[in-house]
Amino acid sequence: MTRPRPGRPAQLDRERIVDAALSEGNLDTLTMRELAARLGVTHGALYRWVANRDALFDLISEVVLERVLPAEGPPRRSWRPWLAQVAWAMHDQFLAVPGYATRLSRPHRHNADSFGKLRSQVVAAFTNAGVPPELAEQSWYIFITCTVSWLAVRENPLDLGPDAPRFELFLDTLLRGLPAREPG
């Protein structure tokens, strides 16, 4: 077994950092020191790759949202099945990373690139179906805030009653209410 040379940090890359961050424990409480220890590097070596916790979450968001978006973009007309697929992928990917939905639900700067891709595809799904651009944008806001908030509550259960919240009921209700329409 070869040992790394003393003082020389192990090789790091995007996938290794994200895999280590997602590997165990609650992402919401993960510290950079804990992550460096998981990677077997000094926290200084880790900071050469990610400047701070926000940059780490940006990197994680890029990977998680790549997993959420279907390879094929939104269809020309029927947005509901496509958006349901996106929502279920968010459900599966976000809840697979303890603390991720909770972190997203809090006010903070989000990764413009990864969330921008998700936003543009969701807005395109609505506009492809004939929804005016302004209402397609409002539909995006409704979709993302409702879905992320529901998933955050799922991660941090509120005592709302004896029955567990069911995502399929939430999603069906949300999709029946979309797209946004002008009042009256």
Side-chain angles (χ1 to χ4, degrees), residues 27-32 51-58 103:
L27 188 60
D28 195 42
T29 60
L30 177 67
T31 68
M32 295 296 277
N52 53 39
R53 248 174 87 80
D54 286 337
L56 174 63
F57 280 102
D58 284 352
R103 165 87 175 162

Side-chain angles (χ1 to χ4, degrees), residues 127-162:
T127 57
N128 288 349
V131 176
E134 181 184 330
L135 292 177
E137 189 72 31
Q138 291 301 312
S139 299
W140 152 252
Y141 294 136
I142 293 164
F143 172 76
I144 196 67
T145 57
C146 289
T147 305
V148 169
S149 296
W150 193 96
L151 295 171
V153 167
R154 185 75 175 122
E155 273 187 344
N156 303 288
L158 301 173
D159 187 13
L160 300 176

Side-chain angles (χ1 to χ4, degrees), residues 1 8 16 32 38 43 48 56 58 65 71 78-79 91 115 132 155 164 168 179 182:
M1 175 174 175
R8 184 177 180 155
R16 187 160 177 238
M32 295 296 277
R38 286 183 194 173
H43 66 277
R48 285 190 279 270
L56 174 63
D58 284 352
L65 288 169
S78 182
W79 59 268
H91 173 275
F115 277 91
E155 273 187 344
E168 71 275 8
E182 292 294 343

Side-chain angles (χ1 to χ4, degrees), residues 54-71:
D54 286 337
L56 174 63
F57 280 102
D58 284 352
L59 186 64
I60 291 167
S61 288
E62 286 175 23
V63 171
V64 169
L65 288 169
E66 285 170 5
R67 296 173 184 171
V68 164
L69 284 171

Side-chain angles (χ1 to χ4, degrees), residues 81-98:
W82 182 86
L83 198 56
Q85 179 184 359
V86 169
W88 274 107
M90 289 170 64
H91 173 275
D92 296 344
Q93 292 296 321
F94 290 15
L95 293 182
V97 181

Side-chain angles (χ1 to χ4, degrees), residues 10-61:
Q11 292 294 332
L12 291 178
D13 59 35
R14 172 184 181 230
E15 287 73 28
R16 187 160 177 238
I17 293 168
V18 170
D19 287 346
L22 302 180
S23 66
E24 60 186 76
N26 189 324
L27 188 60
D28 195 42
T29 60
L30 177 67
T31 68
M32 295 296 277
R33 277 193 196 279
E34 290 170 337
L35 180 57
R38 286 183 194 173
L39 291 163
V41 300
T42 66
H43 66 277
L46 178 59
Y47 281 115
R48 285 190 279 270
W49 276 86
V50 286
N52 53 39
R53 248 174 87 80
D54 286 337
L56 174 63
F57 280 102
D58 284 352
L59 186 64
I60 291 167
S61 288

